[in-house]
Amino acid sequence: MQNLPWENQSSISEFILLGFSSDFQINVILFNIFLFLYLSTLMGNGLIVTLIHLDSCLHTPMYFFLSVLSMLDMSYVTTTVPQMLVHLICQKKTISYVGCVAQMYIFLVVGITEGWLFSIMAYDRYVAICYPLRYKVIMSPWLCGAMVVFCGLWGISCSLVYTVFTMRLPFCGPNEINHFFCEVPAVLKLACADTSLNDRVDFILGFILLLIPLSFILASYFHIFATILRIRSAQGRLKAFSTCASHITVVTMFCGPAMFMYMNPGANASPERDKKLALFYNVISAFLNPIIYSLRNKDVKKAFLRLTGWGNNM
């Protein structure tokens, strides 16, 4: 049986994930915090997906994209958090070589797909505000589905490049990853070879996968704000802006930390800083997304009241 391209050069069969602390009492506290965040993330995002699926009033392109975002967020945290929870309360904190490769690849697929999905959501708001009469014609179900598929295929292909370029390097030891999961910058620190090519590839891919979607988002919002400013009534301007505020908040929480993580040269990266950044755009943002969208969205609130029957008593 032929080995995978990265298996021929590595003498390490497993890695040790150091996580956040070696103090058991601190780890117990962190376990309870992250368990709460994880379960809340699954419940919040799962509720949004359920509401959008069951309520016909939410069968629009904007909520279709929101449901995809919620499913990606649930996948995102499930890739890393369950294993992190186990390592927080267990003495053994190892992950197999193949498991590390799989975790890295799946994490990248979901993250890259989500990054491009944000640009599509910005385009959806651009069409809705700048061309409201043609919105349903332009944002057809076929186009919405095709754009989501494009995001997924882009994530699958670019993640493969990231993963292969990382795991093709020889890992001779030590095998301790100063992180809570197998993320590219943390794993690269263990390679016993020159990683300058990887730094260049990471920077180029970071530019393509973060700055280009961010440029699309900024261009969309430039036209959106120009259109909003032409609305005469203050109430109309406020209503138009409120439909974009949640998206702007979520994009900022996700793209800001990710840019710092993946566009910095490996030599300049701080393990403790990287863990905090990864925790923010992986766990915290996925936890906050359903809160941000539900608290600022009357349609989601009304759908929840209709689903529970509480709206009938109001």
Side-chain angles (χ1 to χ4, degrees):
M1 183 177 177
Q2 188 176 6
N3 289 334
L4 295 172
W6 50 73
E7 290 181 328
N8 296 325
Q9 303 180 28
S10 181
S11 59
I12 291 178
S13 61
E14 66 179 17
F15 294 100
I16 299 172
L17 294 167
L18 297 181
F20 296 98
S21 174
S22 57
D23 187 298
F24 181 73
Q25 291 183 332
I26 293 176
N27 284 340
V28 170
I29 295 172
L30 291 175
F31 174 85
N32 287 297
I33 293 172
F34 291 137
L35 179 63
F36 168 77
L37 291 174
Y38 178 59
L39 294 178
S40 299
T41 300
L42 294 183
M43 290 176 60
N45 285 286
L47 179 61
I48 285 182
V49 173
T50 302
L51 290 175
I52 293 172
H53 176 72
L54 295 179
D55 197 300
S56 59
C57 295
L58 301 181
H59 291 177
T60 64
M62 183 179 77
Y63 292 111
F64 168 69
F65 294 134
L66 179 57
S67 68
V68 175
L69 176 64
S70 293
M71 287 187 284
L72 288 173
D73 280 339
M74 288 189 287
S75 303
Y76 212 29
V77 294
T78 301
T79 305
T80 60
V81 176
Q83 181 188 60
M84 178 180 67
L85 291 173
V86 172
H87 287 175
L88 283 171
I89 57 173
C90 293
Q91 292 293 328
K92 189 176 181 181
K93 304 179 187 295
T94 59
I95 182 172
S96 68
Y97 186 90
V98 174
C100 186
V101 173
Q103 185 182 58
M104 180 186 296
Y105 179 70
I106 295 171
F107 179 83
L108 286 169
V109 168
V110 178
I112 293 170
T113 302
E114 186 164 320
W116 278 88
L117 180 67
F118 285 135
S119 65
I120 289 176
M121 294 174 76
Y123 176 73
D124 171 71
R125 293 297 83 208
Y126 160 71
V127 176
I129 293 173
C130 298
Y131 303 98
L133 298 180
R134 298 173 55 196
Y135 177 64
K136 291 185 178 179
V137 176
I138 297 174
M139 300 301 294
S140 65
W142 182 91
L143 180 62
C144 294
M147 288 194 292
V148 170
V149 170
F150 165 79
C151 292
L153 292 176
W154 195 244
I156 289 169
S157 56
C158 291
S159 299
L160 189 61
V161 176
Y162 257 124
T163 306
V164 170
F165 263 84
T166 301
M167 304 311 289
R168 71 178 179 83
L169 296 169
F171 296 94
C172 314
N175 64 338
E176 294 182 341
I177 301 175
N178 193 3
H179 212 313
F180 61 92
F181 72 101
C182 288
E183 191 165 29
V184 171
V187 175
L188 280 177
K189 287 180 170 55
L190 302 186
C192 46
D194 182 23
T195 61
S196 58
L197 175 62
N198 291 77
D199 290 338
R200 288 194 293 270
V201 170
D202 288 353
F203 182 84
I204 293 169
L205 283 177
F207 179 84
I208 295 172
L209 301 174
L210 289 170
L211 290 185
I212 291 181
L214 190 59
S215 299
F216 289 156
I217 293 169
L218 292 175
S220 296
Y221 277 108
F222 175 81
H223 291 288
I224 287 172
F225 291 147
T227 302
I228 290 175
L229 292 175
R230 288 197 296 267
I231 299 175
R232 294 184 177 181
S233 68
Q235 186 177 0
R237 287 196 297 269
L238 181 62
K239 183 178 180 181
F241 180 76
S242 66
T243 64
C244 306
S246 299
H247 182 253
I248 294 172
T249 305
V250 169
V251 168
T252 304
M253 289 194 307
F254 179 86
C255 291
M259 286 176 63
F260 274 97
M261 175 74 79
Y262 283 92
M263 297 192 69
N264 259 349
N268 299 332
S270 163
E272 296 306 315
R273 184 208 65 184
D274 285 354
K275 279 188 275 190
K276 292 172 184 175
L277 288 173
L279 189 64
F280 193 83
Y281 70 74
N282 175 216
V283 180
I284 305 300
S285 64
F287 166 73
L288 291 177
N289 283 357
I291 299 174
I292 292 169
Y293 277 106
S294 61
L295 288 179
R296 298 186 61 91
N297 195 303
K298 294 180 180 179
D299 292 334
V300 173
K301 292 178 183 177
K302 290 177 181 177
F304 176 75
L305 293 175
R306 283 193 294 268
L307 181 65
T308 57
W310 294 345
N312 297 331
N313 300 323
M314 295 178 64

